Amino acid sequence: MTTTQVTARELGKRSRAAVEAGDRDGWLALFAEDAVVQDPIGPSPFDPEGTGHRGLGAIAKFYDEVVAPSERITFEIERSYLCGDEVADVGIIRTWLAGGRHVAVVRGVYTYRADGNGKLAALRPSGSFDATELVAAEDV
């Protein structure tokens, strides 16, 4: 009997689907106990030290403070490169900010690493705050 390994690409798709659905518990269930979320990679207002949010408690706090307040988040993946236990997805994230009047548009590379046990070990998007476009919601 053969088993099919869940790829980083599939985990990335599940992660994006959970975020789009506002499914906090479903999103958190994708991560290994010691996973890290660095969103974005490096220092940011969400992570001044740039070391990421490590462990389920820190990842849940990140979701509650950064993801949950958004009115809506969508993903448009243009290209995807799977190599071993990692995938690099190139595309656009659109985040409708609280109040729904403005949308932050981030173009970047979104990387996911699987842990070999069907869970995410890491989620590390690269996208610059300086390059984020803020547009009126009616223009999206």
Side-chain angles (χ1 to χ4, degrees):
M1 173 187 275
T2 60
T3 58
T4 303
Q5 179 94 8
V6 178
T7 66
R9 177 178 287 139
E10 179 59 30
L11 289 166
K13 288 177 182 179
R14 291 176 188 178
S15 172
R16 291 188 297 273
V19 168
E20 286 185 346
D23 182 1
R24 177 187 188 271
D25 292 339
W27 188 71
L28 292 173
L30 294 170
F31 290 92
E33 291 285 331
D34 61 345
V36 64
V37 171
Q38 288 180 280
D39 187 356
I41 295 170
S44 74
F46 307 137
D47 177 18
E49 299 292 318
T51 57
H53 311 276
R54 187 171 302 279
L56 292 178
I59 294 170
K61 183 177 180 192
F62 170 81
Y63 186 96
D64 294 341
E65 294 178 357
V66 178
V67 178
S70 303
E71 296 278 325
R72 179 178 169 208
I73 299 174
T74 64
F75 301 85
E76 179 184 332
I77 301 304
E78 299 164 346
R79 290 184 308 277
S80 182
Y81 303 96
L82 180 65
C83 186
D85 63 357
E86 296 195 51
V87 68
D89 291 332
V90 179
I92 303 168
I93 297 175
R94 291 180 179 85
T95 303
W96 279 254
L97 304 177
R101 298 180 67 197
H102 294 94
V103 179
V105 180
V106 180
R107 299 172 196 289
V109 178
Y110 311 100
T111 63
Y112 303 84
R113 187 178 68 220
D115 72 351
N117 294 309
K119 298 282 187 174
L120 282 170
L123 166 58
R124 301 178 70 234
S126 62
S128 168
F129 275 98
D130 297 338
T132 298
E133 298 174 57
L134 191 62
V135 299
E138 62 266 12
D139 294 337
V140 175

